[in-house]
Amino acid sequence: MPVLVERHTASLDSTLVAELGRLYSDTPDFANAASAQEVLADAVAHGEVLYAAVFNGKHIAAALIRGEGPTRHMQYLAVHPATRGRGVASRLVEEIRHQEGATGAEWIEADFDITQEGI
């Protein structure tokens, strides 16, 4: 079964918010999953875009894209630890590049801690 990527541009439903909470709580890179849930829901409600990767009906990765115009900024990239090393992040980022490029983006910026294991 392929990894599907959803693009969320309106308010997030409670089921998705709960799944994102599990994703971010299971991802050791995020100290506070509840804070991540709140930031993501608020950002999407204010016009930002959430991309979520789905496999077997479960959300296994997500990233928030902020900004307008030619430059966008990627934040809150998370891939569930059980699915790391399987190309999920590559699939998610490639779909983000494709969809954001179709809306006029020329650059997607992101900050990563390269000392963090797995980056």
Side-chain angles (χ1 to χ4, degrees):
M1 177 169 270
V3 173
L4 305 174
V5 177
E6 303 171 338
R7 185 175 195 266
H8 298 275
T9 58
S11 61
L12 304 178
D13 67 42
S14 59
T15 302
L16 177 57
V17 171
E19 285 192 28
L20 291 172
R22 282 191 293 280
L23 169 64
Y24 285 90
S25 67
D26 290 344
T27 304
D29 314 333
F30 293 91
N32 188 334
S35 174
Q37 281 176 291
E38 185 177 316
V39 168
L40 295 172
D42 186 58
V44 172
H46 287 93
E48 308 299 348
V49 181
L50 175 76
Y51 288 89
V54 180
F55 181 75
N56 272 349
K58 296 188 181 198
H59 291 89
I60 58 171
L64 180 67
I65 301 297
R66 294 181 178 238
E68 296 178 358
T71 302
R72 314 288 162 83
H73 192 79
M74 183 186 309
Q75 296 178 314
Y76 289 87
L77 175 62
V79 177
H80 192 279
T83 61
R84 289 184 179 176
R86 299 179 183 182
V88 173
S90 295
R91 168 76 177 103
L92 178 62
V93 171
E94 187 58 35
E95 188 62 26
I96 290 170
R97 288 180 60 220
H98 173 74
Q99 289 195 31
E100 289 300 306
T103 65
E106 296 174 11
W107 296 93
I108 296 177
E109 300 174 332
D111 296 323
F112 296 101
D113 177 359
I114 61 171
T115 65
Q116 183 179 338
E117 186 177 331
I119 296 295

